């Protein structure tokens, strides 16, 4: 019987159309509740002496290299409307990471001709090639309460990871603890052989500002001092304009100044340039606060569906008393609201309970504590994801990964 989707297979065990970047039908079986996953390879696909699936697969599929097509558009539309959708699961995010040492692959499931679940997987090697890991930022996108859907998707992910020869997979679903309590997430991890006690790459705790009320109501929900600083910036002659690609060098210089001043790492200058080129103007914008035409602060904001997120922000050491950082952040929120976004993600605060955050933020400046003092002023609600979980295919690689991450975090 012909199938309407090229490169798709129909699973014998489910109602889903399944797809990886490989055209073979495959539904591997992974052992549940196992600390080391061993995908079962189909008889039709033996691993022959001299056959390197990783090399073959890299040639078959690279999200960062192939032209944007209708399949990419279909995937991005799915991500934009999925409850757990994130800019980190879009095609262009894989392209961005592909310019800086990662490669990407997409796996998805269809039911009745429509995408219902999937994952965009990033792959990277480290420690002189001894550590090869797979990573799904803010994914996979799946109904975690649908056992069949989760099992089929994880099996396909297993196969993709095997194809690339990775020994560990890290997932970080954008799944809020309000919707998935810790004990329920723990049970899911045990059922599917995931290890939830692991490090996170994306900050699990953040502040979401509700953009659905009027601007006056949004301002009223802010801390009094933040509201005052926004208005003070305007009185002191600070203006905010929407930037373009010619402003990226200015933004990069401000990022470097901010990193040196506040003691955090910044990306390669080309990273910000490529990010802007890939996402602007449809999904990103750069805002610059100025005084007498001198740039003082800037933010780069991204949108997906009805969600906006503040990824990168910077400021100079000049005219800080004019509060340019407050003015530029408010301008970005206004822009996101005009675009129909319902939430504005301030992207990352210390991973501590709200009571501890309020008790200690005036005394601490380590890690994300310094930015929490600023971000809390914009109101919003503190939310936490379920965090990260590891799927281990090789215990030795997993131990190497933990050692490597430990050195990075010193």
């Amino acid at each position: 019987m012909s199938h309407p989707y090229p490169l798709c297979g129909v699973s014998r065990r489910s109602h889903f159309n399944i797809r990886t970047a490989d055209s073979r039908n495959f539904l591997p079986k992974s052992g549940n509740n196992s600390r080391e996953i061993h995908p079962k390879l189909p008889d039709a696909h033996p691993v022959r002496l001299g056959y390197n699936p990783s090399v073959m697969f890299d040639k078959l599929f690279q999200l960062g290299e192939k032209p944007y097509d209708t399949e990419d558009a279909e995937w991005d539309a799915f991500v934009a409307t999925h409850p757990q959708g994130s800019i980190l699961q879009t095609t262009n995010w894989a392209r961005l990471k592909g310019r800086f040492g990662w490669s990407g692959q997409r796996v998805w499931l269809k039911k009745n001709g429509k995408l219902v679940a999937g994952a965009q997987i990033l792959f990277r090697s480290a420690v002189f090639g001894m550590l090869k890991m797979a990573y799904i930022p803010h994914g996979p996108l799946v109904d975690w309460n649908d056992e069949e859907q989760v099992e089929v998707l994880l099996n396909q992910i297993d196969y993709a990871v095997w194809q690339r020869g990775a020994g560990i997979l890290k997932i970080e679903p954008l799944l809020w603890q309000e919707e998935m309590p810790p004990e329920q997430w723990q049970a899911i991890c045990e059922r599917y052989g995931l290890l939830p006690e692991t490090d996170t790459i994306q900050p699990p705790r953040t502040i979401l500002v509700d953009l659905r009320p009027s601007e006056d109501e949004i301002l009223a929900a802010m801390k009094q001092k933040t509201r005052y600083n926004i208005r003070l910036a305007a009185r002191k002659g600070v203006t905010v304009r929407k930037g373009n690609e010619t402003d990226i060098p200015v933004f990069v210089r401000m990022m470097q100044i901010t990193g040196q001043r506040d003691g955090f790492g910044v990306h390669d200058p080309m990273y910000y340039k490529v990010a802007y080129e890939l996402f602007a103007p449809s999904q990103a914008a750069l805002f610059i606060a100025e005084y007498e035409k001198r740039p003082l602060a800037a933010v780069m904001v991204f949108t997906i569906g009805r969600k906006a997120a503040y990824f990168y922000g910077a400021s100079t050491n000049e005219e800080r008393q004019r509060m340019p950082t407050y003015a530029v952040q408010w301008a970005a929120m206004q822009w996101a609201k005009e675009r129909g976004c319902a939430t504005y993600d301030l992207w990352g605060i210390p991973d501590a309970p709200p009571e501890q955050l309020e008790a200690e933020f005036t005394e601490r400046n380590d890690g994300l504590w310094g930015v929490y003092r600023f971000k809390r002023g914009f109101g919003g609600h503190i939310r936490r994801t379920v965090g990260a979980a590891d799927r281990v295919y090789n215990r030795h690689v997993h131990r190497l990964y933990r050692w490597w991450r430990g050195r990075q975090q010193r």
Side-chain angles (χ1 to χ4, degrees):
M1 182 175 66
S2 63
H3 194 273
Y5 302 100
L7 304 182
C8 287
V10 180
S11 166
R12 299 183 184 91
R13 296 199 309 163
S14 84
H15 301 291
F16 298 112
N17 296 339
I18 59 177
R19 188 263 203 182
T20 67
D22 196 344
S23 62
R24 298 174 180 85
N25 289 350
F26 178 61
L27 187 59
K29 178 67 175 178
S30 62
N32 292 345
N33 302 317
S34 173
R35 295 182 62 85
E36 188 171 279
I37 306 300
H38 297 285
K40 180 182 177 183
L41 305 181
D43 294 337
H45 191 339
V47 179
R48 296 183 296 272
L49 186 64
Y51 168 65
N52 186 335
S54 178
V55 173
M56 183 208 71
F57 212 78
D58 286 342
K59 293 178 180 178
L60 261 179
F61 194 79
Q62 285 276 2
L63 280 179
E65 301 295 331
K66 72 184 187 70
Y68 193 88
D69 58 22
T70 56
E71 185 178 291
D72 295 326
E74 181 186 21
W75 170 258
D76 288 343
F78 167 69
V79 173
T81 57
H82 196 280
Q84 302 160 32
S86 166
I87 200 78
L88 305 190
Q89 277 291 297
T90 60
T91 301
N92 279 336
W93 189 260
R95 286 178 163 179
L96 171 63
K97 305 309 285 188
R99 308 277 183 94
F100 298 91
W102 296 81
S103 59
Q105 179 190 343
R106 187 181 299 146
V107 175
W108 49 250
L109 311 181
K110 281 188 177 182
K111 188 173 184 179
N112 299 325
K114 294 184 179 180
L115 288 167
V116 294
Q120 190 161 261
I121 314 169
L122 301 176
F123 294 88
R124 181 178 180 176
S125 295
V127 195
F128 305 106
M130 292 187 293
L131 169 61
K132 191 159 190 178
M133 68 170 292
Y135 174 47
I136 307 179
H138 283 180
L141 306 181
V142 66
D143 180 356
W144 289 97
N145 294 312
D146 186 329
E147 292 187 18
E148 182 187 32
Q149 190 180 106
V150 174
E151 181 181 357
V152 173
L153 183 62
L154 285 179
N155 285 339
Q156 292 305 299
I157 291 171
D158 286 344
Y159 183 42
V161 173
W162 173 82
Q163 283 273 21
R164 294 292 186 102
I168 176 178
L169 165 72
K170 182 177 293 292
I171 68 171
E172 284 188 311
L174 189 59
L175 185 61
W176 304 112
Q177 283 186 340
E178 294 174 6
E179 302 157 5
M180 179 71 70
E183 59 276 10
Q184 187 177 351
W185 177 244
Q186 178 72 35
I188 285 175
C189 288
E190 290 178 1
R191 184 182 308 141
Y192 297 112
L194 299 166
L195 303 180
E197 301 299 326
T198 185
D199 65 300
T200 59
I201 296 177
Q202 306 303 324
R205 198 177 297 266
T206 189
I207 296 176
L208 293 185
V209 178
D210 187 354
L211 297 180
R212 291 171 298 180
S214 68
E215 289 189 4
D216 287 342
E217 290 172 318
I218 295 172
L219 284 167
M222 295 180 186
K223 304 292 185 185
Q224 187 274 334
K225 185 65 173 177
T226 297
R227 189 166 56 247
Y228 173 81
N229 286 342
I230 290 172
R231 292 166 176 162
L232 178 65
R235 291 198 301 271
K236 286 186 172 288
V238 174
T239 59
V240 180
R241 65 177 176 85
K242 194 173 180 182
N244 56 43
E245 62 276 2
T246 64
D247 294 303
I248 296 299
V250 173
F251 179 69
V252 169
R253 284 198 295 274
M254 282 194 277
M255 285 295 300
Q256 293 168 338
I257 292 170
T258 304
Q260 293 170 1
R261 181 184 66 232
D262 298 338
F264 64 81
V266 298
H267 289 291
D268 182 279
M270 282 299 296
Y271 189 93
Y272 303 106
K273 181 177 185 295
V274 174
Y276 185 84
E277 289 173 347
L278 286 172
F279 286 98
S282 60
Q283 289 184 286
L286 176 65
F287 292 92
I288 301 176
E290 298 177 326
Y291 173 68
E292 295 181 345
K293 296 187 178 181
R294 284 183 293 151
L296 300 179
V299 296
M300 192 180 294
V301 182
F302 295 77
T303 66
I304 178 74
R306 300 197 67 202
K307 303 173 184 177
Y310 155 54
F311 276 16
Y312 313 119
S315 62
T316 69
N317 296 323
E318 301 175 7
E319 306 288 351
R320 293 171 66 82
Q321 77 281 3
R322 297 183 187 276
M323 305 300 165
T325 55
Y326 292 88
V328 75
Q329 197 68 247
W330 175 233
M333 289 183 182
Q334 290 175 301
W335 170 79
K337 179 175 175 60
E338 290 172 2
R339 290 176 60 88
C341 293
T343 58
Y344 187 89
D345 190 343
L346 287 164
W347 205 265
I349 60 173
D351 190 19
E355 300 79 13
Q356 183 182 351
L357 289 170
E358 287 303 295
E360 300 181 13
F361 80 90
T362 58
E363 306 296 330
R364 295 183 60 173
N365 289 301
D366 54 299
L368 291 173
W369 284 91
V371 298
Y372 175 66
R373 184 196 299 258
F374 171 74
K375 292 179 178 181
R376 69 184 286 277
F378 290 93
H381 302 281
I382 295 174
R383 302 190 75 179
R384 192 191 191 281
T385 69
V386 295
D390 290 345
R391 194 159 170 84
V392 179
Y393 305 91
N394 184 304
R395 291 188 184 93
H396 300 296
V397 172
H398 190 227
R399 283 196 291 268
L400 181 60
Y401 168 80
R402 290 163 62 184
W403 171 83
W404 176 65
R405 284 289 287 169
R407 288 181 60 87
Q408 283 189 320
Q409 294 169 356
R410 287 178 185 174

